[in-house]
Amino acid sequence: MKSIFVTVLFLIVAQAGILRATGPRIEHKLGGDSTIFSMTVAPKEHPKVGGSFQVTIHVTPGQDWHVYSSKMSTEGGLVPLTLVVPPELADFYEVEKIEEIGDVKTAFDSNFMTVTMAHFTPYDVIATIKVKKKPTIDTPFSLLLHFQTCNETMCMPPRTFQVPMTFLGQPAIKLRVAGVIRNTQYELACQYKPQ
Protein backbone atom coordinates (compact mmCIF):
# COMPACT_ATOMS: atom_id res chain seq x y z
CA MET A 1 0.00 0.00 0.00
CA LYS A 2 2.84 2.37 0.87
CA SER A 3 4.53 1.72 -2.50
CA ILE A 4 1.30 2.53 -4.38
CA PHE A 5 0.99 5.81 -2.48
CA VAL A 6 4.63 6.70 -3.26
CA THR A 7 4.13 5.82 -6.94
CA VAL A 8 0.98 7.94 -7.22
CA LEU A 9 2.70 10.83 -5.44
CA PHE A 10 5.69 10.53 -7.80
CA LEU A 11 3.41 10.62 -10.88
CA ILE A 12 1.61 13.73 -9.58
CA VAL A 13 4.91 15.53 -8.94
CA ALA A 14 6.28 14.46 -12.36
CA GLN A 15 3.15 15.73 -14.13
CA ALA A 16 3.40 19.06 -12.31
CA GLY A 17 7.06 19.32 -13.37
CA ILE A 18 6.15 18.63 -17.00
CA LEU A 19 3.45 21.31 -16.94
CA ARG A 20 5.82 23.81 -15.36
CA ALA A 21 8.56 23.01 -17.90
CA THR A 22 6.28 23.54 -20.89
CA GLY A 23 5.14 26.94 -19.61
CA PRO A 24 1.66 28.34 -19.14
CA ARG A 25 -1.34 27.04 -21.04
CA ILE A 26 -1.89 29.36 -23.98
CA GLU A 27 -5.53 30.08 -24.88
CA HIS A 28 -6.57 29.84 -28.53
CA LYS A 29 -10.14 31.11 -28.31
CA LEU A 30 -11.85 34.05 -26.68
CA GLY A 31 -13.77 33.75 -23.44
CA GLY A 32 -17.07 35.27 -22.44
CA ASP A 33 -15.38 38.63 -21.80
CA SER A 34 -13.98 38.86 -25.37
CA THR A 35 -10.93 40.91 -24.37
CA ILE A 36 -8.82 41.63 -27.48
CA PHE A 37 -5.08 42.40 -27.47
CA SER A 38 -3.12 43.69 -30.47
CA MET A 39 0.60 44.48 -30.57
CA THR A 40 2.57 46.88 -32.75
CA VAL A 41 6.19 47.98 -33.02
CA ALA A 42 6.72 51.57 -34.17
CA PRO A 43 8.56 51.87 -37.52
CA LYS A 44 11.23 54.05 -35.84
CA GLU A 45 12.22 51.18 -33.54
CA HIS A 46 15.46 49.44 -34.58
CA PRO A 47 16.30 46.71 -32.04
CA LYS A 48 20.00 46.23 -31.38
CA VAL A 49 21.79 43.70 -29.21
CA GLY A 50 22.42 45.25 -25.81
CA GLY A 51 19.76 47.90 -26.40
CA SER A 52 16.03 47.99 -25.95
CA PHE A 53 12.91 48.79 -27.96
CA GLN A 54 9.25 49.41 -27.20
CA VAL A 55 6.11 47.58 -28.23
CA THR A 56 2.56 48.87 -27.78
CA ILE A 57 -0.20 46.46 -26.83
CA HIS A 58 -3.70 47.84 -27.30
CA VAL A 59 -6.14 46.26 -24.84
CA THR A 60 -9.87 46.30 -25.59
CA PRO A 61 -11.94 44.90 -22.70
CA GLY A 62 -15.24 43.27 -23.56
CA GLN A 63 -18.43 45.23 -22.98
CA ASP A 64 -19.24 45.47 -19.23
CA TRP A 65 -15.91 43.78 -18.31
CA HIS A 66 -12.76 45.27 -16.83
CA VAL A 67 -9.10 44.21 -16.98
CA TYR A 68 -6.96 44.51 -13.86
CA SER A 69 -4.02 46.88 -14.18
CA SER A 70 -0.40 45.70 -14.12
CA LYS A 71 0.10 48.22 -11.29
CA MET A 72 -2.37 46.45 -8.99
CA SER A 73 -1.23 44.32 -6.06
CA THR A 74 -1.86 40.59 -6.10
CA GLU A 75 -3.25 40.74 -2.55
CA GLY A 76 -6.87 39.64 -2.39
CA GLY A 77 -6.42 36.90 -4.97
CA LEU A 78 -7.08 38.92 -8.13
CA VAL A 79 -4.58 38.69 -11.01
CA PRO A 80 -3.11 41.88 -12.50
CA LEU A 81 -1.98 41.94 -16.13
CA THR A 82 1.56 40.63 -16.60
CA LEU A 83 3.81 40.25 -19.65
CA VAL A 84 6.55 37.67 -20.15
CA VAL A 85 8.69 36.55 -23.04
CA PRO A 86 7.76 33.06 -24.33
CA PRO A 87 10.24 30.34 -23.26
CA GLU A 88 11.51 29.86 -26.84
CA LEU A 89 12.51 33.57 -27.00
CA ALA A 90 13.70 34.03 -23.40
CA ASP A 91 17.40 33.66 -24.34
CA PHE A 92 17.09 36.65 -26.68
CA TYR A 93 14.66 39.11 -25.03
CA GLU A 94 13.39 40.17 -21.62
CA VAL A 95 10.68 42.57 -20.45
CA GLU A 96 12.38 45.53 -18.73
CA LYS A 97 9.45 47.79 -17.95
CA ILE A 98 5.68 48.07 -18.39
CA GLU A 99 3.71 51.32 -18.55
CA GLU A 100 -0.01 51.88 -19.08
CA ILE A 101 -1.73 54.74 -20.89
CA GLY A 102 -5.44 55.00 -20.21
CA ASP A 103 -8.09 55.62 -17.61
CA VAL A 104 -7.54 53.39 -14.58
CA LYS A 105 -10.14 53.30 -11.80
CA THR A 106 -9.03 52.61 -8.25
CA ALA A 107 -11.64 51.40 -5.75
CA PHE A 108 -12.11 49.19 -2.71
CA ASP A 109 -13.79 45.88 -3.64
CA SER A 110 -15.65 44.47 -0.64
CA ASN A 111 -15.99 41.06 -2.35
CA PHE A 112 -12.22 40.59 -2.21
CA MET A 113 -11.52 43.00 0.68
CA THR A 114 -8.82 44.73 -1.33
CA VAL A 115 -8.14 47.86 -3.35
CA THR A 116 -8.42 47.18 -7.09
CA MET A 117 -7.07 49.04 -10.10
CA ALA A 118 -8.88 48.29 -13.34
CA HIS A 119 -9.42 49.51 -16.89
CA PHE A 120 -13.03 49.60 -18.06
CA THR A 121 -12.24 51.20 -21.45
CA PRO A 122 -9.60 50.48 -24.13
CA TYR A 123 -6.03 51.39 -23.15
CA ASP A 124 -2.40 50.85 -24.18
CA VAL A 125 0.38 48.91 -22.48
CA ILE A 126 3.86 50.12 -23.45
CA ALA A 127 6.47 47.41 -22.86
CA THR A 128 10.20 48.11 -23.00
CA ILE A 129 12.00 45.00 -24.25
CA LYS A 130 15.74 44.42 -23.78
CA VAL A 131 17.63 42.54 -26.52
CA LYS A 132 20.01 40.16 -24.73
CA LYS A 133 21.48 38.58 -27.86
CA LYS A 134 20.73 38.30 -31.55
CA PRO A 135 18.19 35.58 -32.35
CA THR A 136 19.69 32.74 -34.36
CA ILE A 137 16.30 31.48 -35.46
CA ASP A 138 13.65 33.07 -37.65
CA THR A 139 10.94 33.11 -34.97
CA PRO A 140 8.44 35.98 -34.98
CA PHE A 141 8.49 38.15 -31.86
CA SER A 142 5.61 37.72 -29.42
CA LEU A 143 4.80 38.11 -25.75
CA LEU A 144 2.68 36.09 -23.34
CA LEU A 145 0.02 38.20 -21.66
CA HIS A 146 -1.52 36.83 -18.44
CA PHE A 147 -4.61 38.62 -17.13
CA GLN A 148 -7.95 38.38 -15.35
CA THR A 149 -11.23 40.16 -16.03
CA CYS A 150 -14.37 40.67 -13.98
CA ASN A 151 -17.75 42.31 -14.40
CA GLU A 152 -20.22 43.34 -11.70
CA THR A 153 -21.33 39.76 -10.95
CA MET A 154 -18.49 37.37 -11.82
CA CYS A 155 -14.80 36.95 -12.63
CA MET A 156 -13.27 34.90 -15.41
CA PRO A 157 -10.42 32.57 -14.44
CA PRO A 158 -6.97 34.00 -15.22
CA ARG A 159 -5.87 33.24 -18.79
CA THR A 160 -2.77 33.61 -20.95
CA PHE A 161 -2.79 34.71 -24.59
CA GLN A 162 0.07 35.00 -27.03
CA VAL A 163 0.19 38.50 -28.49
CA PRO A 164 -0.16 39.18 -31.37
CA MET A 165 -3.27 36.99 -31.36
CA THR A 166 -2.58 35.18 -34.62
CA PHE A 167 -5.69 33.03 -34.21
CA LEU A 168 -7.67 36.25 -34.82
CA GLY A 169 -5.70 36.93 -37.98
CA GLN A 170 -3.29 39.48 -36.51
CA PRO A 171 -0.01 39.48 -38.45
CA ALA A 172 3.13 38.10 -36.82
CA ILE A 173 5.77 40.62 -35.71
CA LYS A 174 9.06 40.12 -37.53
CA LEU A 175 12.01 42.00 -36.07
CA ARG A 176 15.36 42.72 -37.66
CA VAL A 177 17.79 42.71 -34.79
CA ALA A 178 21.15 44.35 -35.49
CA GLY A 179 24.20 42.61 -34.08
CA VAL A 180 27.14 44.27 -32.36
CA ILE A 181 30.28 45.00 -34.40
CA ARG A 182 33.15 43.47 -32.45
CA ASN A 183 35.95 44.27 -34.94
CA THR A 184 39.02 46.17 -33.75
CA GLN A 185 39.84 49.57 -35.26
CA TYR A 186 42.68 47.94 -37.25
CA GLU A 187 40.29 45.36 -38.77
CA LEU A 188 37.80 48.09 -39.64
CA ALA A 189 40.56 50.16 -41.27
CA CYS A 190 41.62 47.13 -43.37
CA GLN A 191 38.04 46.63 -44.54
CA TYR A 192 37.74 50.26 -45.71
CA LYS A 193 38.44 50.56 -49.42
CA PRO A 194 38.34 54.12 -50.80
CA GLN A 195 36.62 54.54 -54.16
Side-chain angles (χ1 to χ4, degrees):
M1 183 69 167
K2 187 176 179 183
S3 64
I4 293 173
F5 175 74
V6 170
T7 304
V8 170
L9 183 61
F10 174 75
L11 291 173
I12 290 171
V13 170
Q15 182 66 27
I18 291 169
L19 288 175
R20 207 172 297 121
T22 58
R25 178 177 168 240
I26 309 297
E27 299 289 335
H28 294 286
K29 64 180 185 174
L30 296 175
D33 63 340
S34 299
T35 305
I36 305 293
F37 306 95
S38 58
M39 183 166 64
T40 55
V41 178
K44 65 177 182 164
E45 294 286 357
H46 301 289
K48 294 181 182 136
V49 173
S52 59
F53 65 99
Q54 291 186 329
V55 297
T56 302
I57 298 174
H58 187 68
V59 182
T60 307
Q63 186 176 359
D64 300 324
W65 292 86
H66 52 271
V67 176
Y68 289 109
S69 169
S70 64
K71 299 174 186 173
M72 188 179 83
S73 168
T74 57
E75 292 179 19
L78 296 170
V79 178
L81 183 141
T82 57
L83 286 174
V84 295
V85 175
E88 65 271 15
L89 299 176
D91 288 342
F92 311 112
Y93 307 103
E94 75 179 358
V95 177
E96 277 189 324
K97 181 172 69 168
I98 299 173
E99 300 174 67
E100 294 177 2
I101 299 172
D103 185 26
V104 65
K105 293 188 179 183
T106 304
F108 180 77
D109 189 329
S110 59
N111 294 318
F112 298 98
M113 299 304 289
T114 190
V115 173
T116 61
M117 300 174 72
H119 291 274
F120 289 77
T121 56
Y123 70 103
D124 287 334
V125 175
I126 312 296
T128 303
I129 310 297
K130 180 177 173 107
V131 183
K132 299 194 293 188
K133 66 180 184 178
K134 188 172 181 178
T136 55
I137 49 175
D138 188 23
T139 302
F141 178 78
S142 64
L143 292 171
L144 298 180
L145 192 148
H146 187 69
F147 73 108
Q148 183 175 23
T149 59
C150 292
N151 64 16
E152 294 304 315
T153 59
M154 66 179 282
C155 290
M156 297 293 284
R159 289 168 291 153
T160 302
F161 281 112
Q162 189 160 14
V163 181
M165 300 171 86
T166 53
F167 71 94
L168 289 182
Q170 295 177 4
I173 302 246
K174 299 210 175 184
L175 295 176
R176 290 184 182 215
V177 177
V180 177
I181 296 176
R182 298 186 190 277
N183 296 5
T184 65
Q185 286 184 335
Y186 175 74
E187 289 172 323
L188 290 172
C190 290
Q191 291 173 1
Y192 175 70
K193 293 183 173 115
Q195 299 285 339

